Amino acid sequence: MLHSEFMLSQRPHVANARAAKDWIKELPLTDARAAHHAIETLIAEFDENGLPARDRLEILETVRPHRIEIDAQYAQRYAGKALPLGDAERNAYAHASSLWQKLEDAYWYCARAAAAGEPDLRPHLTLCLTRAADLACERIKGALRAGQALDGTIQASVARYATFAREQNVLASPAPDSEHPRRIVSVASVQNRALLLALTGGTVAGRERESAFELATLWETKVLVTWLPSGLTRALTRADLPPSKEPAKQRIRILHSGGQIYFLDVTALSRSLRKRVHLLGLGQGIDEMGLPASFPRTGAAKLLTRLHGAWCEEEYGRRHPRAAPTAAPGVTHNVSVAPATDNFDAMYCMLGGEPFMVNDESDITSRRRFDEMFVFQGAGHARRDKYIREAQRLVEQWRIVDQSAAGARLARSARGTRYKPGNLVAFRGTARGFDTTGQLGEVRWCTENAAGGGARGATTLEAGIEVLAHAPVCVAIRLTGINVVGARNWTAAFRTESGAGAHLLVTPSGWYKPGRVIELRDGTQVSRWLLGPLKRRGVDFELIEASQTA
């Protein structure tokens, strides 16, 4: 029996806070999976033993700091993984989400008991509701870390707590945060945080995503929110918006979620973000900005700009609006996508129409090569067809959801390659959807909608693709120099031009080195190129500015 299964079969028999402290000492905190099972078993005992609401609240508050530490360790099993999630990763996320839901329900039980008139719990009504809403925020952050699509149930839970708090006149009442003693939270501020997290979506990934989460927590009080049911039949008025001293300068962000219409006054939030972008442009250090300690030192201005688009502008402030491709009724536009995977051969074949066989060719002018072409031409064609079949096997069919001049949102229901933000893809669309000549793009975000509990074949993967290069030219590159050992083989790559007329090379990861000289083969022409500044680095590619040398 596994350790976690053994822990799950054990009953802790915790009846009060003192017993919870003793139980925590025996909890295997270094084994996040077993500790999660143990806390889940502890919560299951609440109803089995019929514990009073006051004892439940004390136990929950005793376990809370340890649960937060366990969550941070357990998130490594599913956070930032390529999509669709694997079975082990999906199970880890499902278990973590289940625990958050049970903890949220436990706090909600205590909140209702406090509202019902239990004298020992009435002073803690705000605390119970704040903790329940905070766990709903944890569910949102967990879904975003795991790349899962957000449904309306989480926001519906937050709206339920906020509505209940408003009815009990404790919506803005402060509650202490045991993990951050200097910070005072309320149900209203946690609701603001949940809305900002939902708006963040796939705007950021990796370490930037965690920085955005911390910034949403730090600046949750900069947002004012009012909400109405989505099924409202009367016309909206000015009174439905959050109050403001300067209505003419008020910036409102509207969000439909969880059966509610939210009106977010993001005036102060927008001003704070734009001010810091301006100061960074003037050269001011990030330490003087009042940003979280985890905020990136490089690229902070771009991150703040993206967050301003997600939080303060409608439709994420897109420069190029997206629209669904025009099609007859019942007709869908598809696009062929070739991932970079471990090499560029499949993309080279799809964009160039020929397999990448440069390393199998010798000098065509030699007598030996001429004899091979004359005698073994059938074998040569068979080898070429084999390479084409292998490349076509990696090409996937995606459906175009919407598109713009700068990219598109694609969807795939069939199983296939796993993707994560930063992957390079080549794609070729239909006559009315995307460019039929082929393009290169980067996966900016991807989201998995696991229908039916994430069963095999029941997931839909959506990805946002940003166009990197229109009509790229297929080329081959190789290293130069007398010290290059075992690296004289050609490698598939792509050449394109930027809007400013500069030449750009798209190469596999690891090729960039300032001042490096490489050989580039375009057709039968071989030339030498000098690598300049690095324009972008993805998970499996590098976009490098280059110039031809004599």
Side-chain angles (χ1 to χ4, degrees):
M1 181 181 294
L2 296 177
H3 187 198
S4 57
E5 295 176 353
F6 174 78
M7 292 295 301
L8 185 61
S9 64
Q10 303 302 305
R11 292 301 179 183
H13 303 295
V14 174
N16 50 52
R18 182 179 297 275
K21 290 181 181 179
D22 296 335
W23 176 76
I24 285 291
K25 296 177 182 179
E26 304 297 329
L27 194 65
L29 297 178
T30 56
D31 187 347
R33 184 170 181 265
H36 259 270
H37 278 292
I39 295 177
E40 189 172 0
T41 306
L42 174 68
I43 299 172
E45 274 198 337
F46 287 172
D47 292 330
E48 294 177 4
N49 298 337
L51 288 181
R54 176 61 183 267
D55 292 333
R56 299 188 187 201
L57 179 60
E58 291 179 349
I59 294 173
L60 290 172
E61 287 298 289
T62 303
V63 174
R64 181 171 180 262
H66 304 281
R67 190 269 307 167
I68 294 175
E69 179 184 351
I70 294 168
D71 280 342
Q73 298 180 24
Y74 202 59
Q76 299 175 9
R77 294 173 175 259
Y78 58 83
K81 304 298 183 181
L83 299 178
L85 294 178
D87 292 339
E89 298 160 352
R90 191 182 309 283
N91 289 337
Y93 166 70
H95 184 260
S97 183
S98 174
L99 179 60
W100 294 326
Q101 180 68 71
K102 292 179 179 179
L103 288 167
E104 183 182 331
D105 293 341
Y107 277 111
W108 175 232
Y109 176 89
C110 297
R112 287 179 294 170
E118 287 197 20
D120 293 341
L121 274 180
R122 182 63 191 182
H124 305 292
L125 173 60
T126 303
L127 177 67
C128 297
L129 290 174
T130 302
R131 293 287 190 267
D134 183 73
L135 283 160
C137 290
E138 290 297 324
R139 292 168 58 195
I140 296 176
K141 290 192 288 187
L144 295 178
R145 290 188 179 110
Q148 303 301 299
L150 294 176
D151 55 18
T153 58
I154 303 178
Q155 287 293 352
S157 297
V158 176
R160 176 180 60 183
Y161 306 138
T163 303
F164 189 79
R166 184 169 57 185
E167 295 172 352
Q168 298 292 325
N169 296 320
V170 295
L171 181 62
S173 299
D177 190 341
S178 58
E179 290 303 297
H180 304 277
R182 295 184 179 181
R183 186 173 65 198
I184 301 297
V185 296
S186 65
V187 179
S189 66
V190 178
Q191 181 191 34
N192 298 345
R193 186 198 316 166
L195 294 173
L196 291 178
L197 293 175
L199 288 172
T200 302
T203 306
V204 290
R207 295 178 60 183
E208 289 187 346
R209 178 181 54 227
E210 300 303 320
S211 299
F213 289 170
E214 290 191 30
L215 190 62
T217 304
L218 184 65
W219 286 359
E220 60 189 24
T221 56
K222 293 181 180 289
V223 182
L224 297 178
V225 177
T226 58
W227 67 97
L228 295 170
S230 296
L232 193 67
T233 56
R234 66 172 178 83
L236 299 177
T237 64
R238 178 70 197 180
D240 296 323
L241 302 180
S244 175
K245 296 181 180 179
E246 299 179 299
K249 298 182 180 180
Q250 192 175 23
R251 180 187 287 268
I252 298 296
R253 181 79 160 88
I254 301 176
L255 175 64
H256 296 261
S257 180
Q260 307 288 331
I261 306 177
Y262 292 96
F263 304 96
L264 286 72
D265 183 351
V266 293
T267 308
L269 180 62
S270 175
R271 187 181 299 116
S272 296
L273 288 168
R274 289 186 285 110
K275 175 183 177 182
R276 282 161 176 79
V277 171
H278 176 70
L279 293 176
L280 287 171
L282 296 178
Q284 186 168 339
I286 194 172
D287 294 331
E288 306 170 15
M289 297 288 178
L291 297 171
S294 64
F295 223 75
R297 301 284 171 174
T298 58
K302 293 182 179 180
L303 175 56
L304 292 173
T305 301
R306 291 203 304 273
L307 291 178
H308 185 275
W311 290 347
C312 306
E313 301 176 17
E314 294 296 335
E315 298 299 327
Y316 298 95
R318 291 193 179 280
R319 183 177 304 175
H320 303 283
R322 286 182 177 173
T326 57
V331 177
T332 59
H333 285 298
N334 294 327
V335 60
S336 299
V337 176
T341 56
D342 295 332
N343 54 61
F344 282 29
D345 294 3
M347 297 189 300
Y348 185 101
C349 183
M350 191 179 87
L351 295 180
E354 292 290 335
F356 183 74
M357 300 175 59
V358 178
N359 293 319
D360 290 343
E361 299 175 358
S362 57
D363 189 359
I364 196 171
T365 62
S366 66
R367 180 55 185 253
R368 179 180 178 182
R369 177 59 177 160
F370 179 82
D371 292 342
E372 288 179 352
M373 292 177 62
F374 181 79
V375 178
F376 302 108
Q377 56 181 332
H381 289 307
R383 186 169 64 251
R384 175 181 177 276
D385 294 341
K386 174 186 175 183
Y387 285 164
I388 292 178
R389 288 193 302 269
E390 290 178 352
Q392 291 177 343
R393 180 175 54 84
L394 299 176
V395 175
E396 304 172 346
Q397 296 299 315
W398 290 63
R399 176 173 53 87
I400 303 176
V401 180
D402 51 42
Q403 62 185 32
S404 70
R409 179 159 60 108
L410 308 180
R412 182 195 73 187
S413 298
R415 296 180 65 86
T417 305
R418 299 178 65 186
Y419 294 88
K420 64 190 310 184
N423 282 134
L424 181 70
V425 294
F427 49 92
R428 186 191 299 274
T430 58
R432 295 184 180 179
F434 265 178
D435 190 353
T436 56
T437 60
Q439 304 174 54
L440 288 176
E442 179 185 2
V443 178
R444 297 299 297 170
W445 58 266
C446 50
T447 301
E448 180 185 11
N449 188 355
R456 289 184 178 273
T459 62
T460 299
L461 185 64
E462 287 193 356
I465 309 296
E466 178 187 0
V467 175
L468 287 182
H470 293 273
V473 178
C474 297
V475 297
I477 59 176
R478 68 180 180 184
L479 300 176
T480 61
I482 60 175
N483 294 325
V484 176
V485 179
R488 294 295 293 173
N489 285 340
W490 293 97
T491 300
F494 304 94
R495 178 176 58 81
T496 185
E497 292 185 2
S498 65
H503 293 282
L504 299 176
L505 295 180
V506 183
T507 70
S509 296
W511 274 79
Y512 176 70
K513 183 178 180 180
R516 168 174 280 176
V517 177
I518 64 172
E519 286 186 346
L520 183 145
R521 179 171 178 172
D522 187 352
T524 59
Q525 300 295 323
V526 178
S527 56
R528 296 169 70 88
W529 289 69
L530 175 66
L531 300 186
L534 179 68
K535 293 299 183 180
R536 181 177 298 191
R537 173 174 283 144
V539 173
D540 45 20
F541 77 96
E542 293 170 345
L543 184 64
I544 310 169
E545 184 175 326
S547 58
Q548 188 172 355
T549 62

